[in-house]
Amino acid sequence: IEFASRTHSQSLVHVSSAYVAGERTGVVREEELLMTEGFRNGYERSKAIAENEVREAAASGRVRFLIVRPSIIVGDSRSGYMCPNHHFFDLIFRLLTIRRMIRNKTDDCRFRIPGDPNATKNFVPVDHVSELIALLIGTESAWGETFHLTDPEPMVMSEAIIAMAKCGSGDDEKEAAKTHRVMAASMYRQ
């Protein structure tokens, strides 16, 4: 905020999170002010605090703002590339490692993952997020607004598990990267 307030344009694009609403359920509108408690973790809380600070700076005339709230940012929609340190990539690698360990002991390498197979996760490809941010920056009427950058049809987790089951042995990080590329074809909709 301090840096943006000292620039010629006094413009600040704040990348928040679609999960900034914490434990709230139902529709959360972009223009709603955020709460200060009721979060599942420090990440959600920090994003809410930061959004409130950006809005306060704008209200005092120090900056003009644009807030974007992407959901879970994952790899490139075309290549499937994802940073190897990404938490979703790590989850895939760990699940494939478990499968490999089971395969070493039995012919049947299936295992159960606790959870609701109908639960959804909202993933957005990094290239879509960056393209939307660039578009919004160039749209004068977007300034002073907040935008959710999410998939209108979140992925059902049972679909993710089916895609993962079709993949390789998970013997190393290269195999996990291949798995992600296969899953990307199921996850990313243009």
Side-chain angles (χ1 to χ4, degrees):
I1 293 171
E2 187 64 32
F3 175 78
S5 70
R6 294 174 187 231
T7 64
H8 175 71
S9 70
Q10 294 182 305
S11 300
L12 174 65
V13 177
H14 176 66
V15 180
S16 186
S17 169
Y19 296 95
V20 74
E23 295 176 339
R24 280 187 56 187
T25 59
V27 175
V28 177
R29 303 218 180 271
E30 287 91 339
E31 67 276 1
E32 290 180 50
L33 294 176
L34 298 172
M35 62 205 181
T36 56
E37 53 187 58
F39 302 102
R40 289 180 288 246
N41 56 55
Y43 175 78
E44 291 175 350
R45 183 174 182 275
S46 72
K47 290 296 189 177
I49 290 169
E51 273 195 38
N52 287 334
E53 288 182 8
V54 167
R55 291 176 196 283
E56 287 173 15
S60 70
R62 292 174 58 208
V63 296
R64 71 178 189 152
F65 74 90
L66 170 62
I67 296 174
V68 292
R69 294 179 179 161
S71 57
I72 301 169
I73 300 174
V74 290
D76 184 89
S77 67
R78 295 172 294 269
S79 69
Y81 174 79
M82 181 183 294
C83 174
N85 298 326
H86 190 280
H87 62 276
F88 188 68
F89 183 93
D90 186 57
L91 171 67
I92 293 168
F93 183 73
R94 289 177 190 273
L95 290 173
L96 291 172
T97 299
I98 291 168
R99 186 171 80 175
R100 186 185 75 244
M101 291 167 61
I102 292 170
R103 181 178 286 148
N104 289 341
K105 299 199 181 293
T106 178
D107 291 336
D108 185 2
C109 62
R110 294 176 296 170
F111 63 96
R112 294 192 182 276
I113 301 171
D116 179 358
N118 296 315
T120 59
K121 285 291 182 189
N122 200 297
F123 300 109
V124 289
V126 65
D127 52 311
H128 290 197
V129 171
S130 60
E131 289 167 12
L132 287 169
I133 290 173
L135 177 70
L136 290 168
I137 287 171
T139 305
E140 192 59 37
S141 61
W143 289 94
E145 302 293 333
T146 302
F147 297 88
H148 286 132
L149 307 183
T150 60
D151 186 336
E153 296 177 27
M155 180 176 229
V156 177
M157 291 315 298
S158 59
E159 294 172 14
I161 299 303
I162 289 168
M164 198 179 314
K166 293 178 181 176
C167 296
S169 64
D171 289 340
D172 57 26
E173 287 193 28
K174 278 187 173 180
E175 192 63 45
K178 178 181 167 192
T179 298
H180 176 263
R181 286 191 298 277
V182 171
M183 289 184 69
S186 300
M187 291 170 65
Y188 307 150
R189 294 178 274 285
Q190 297 294 329

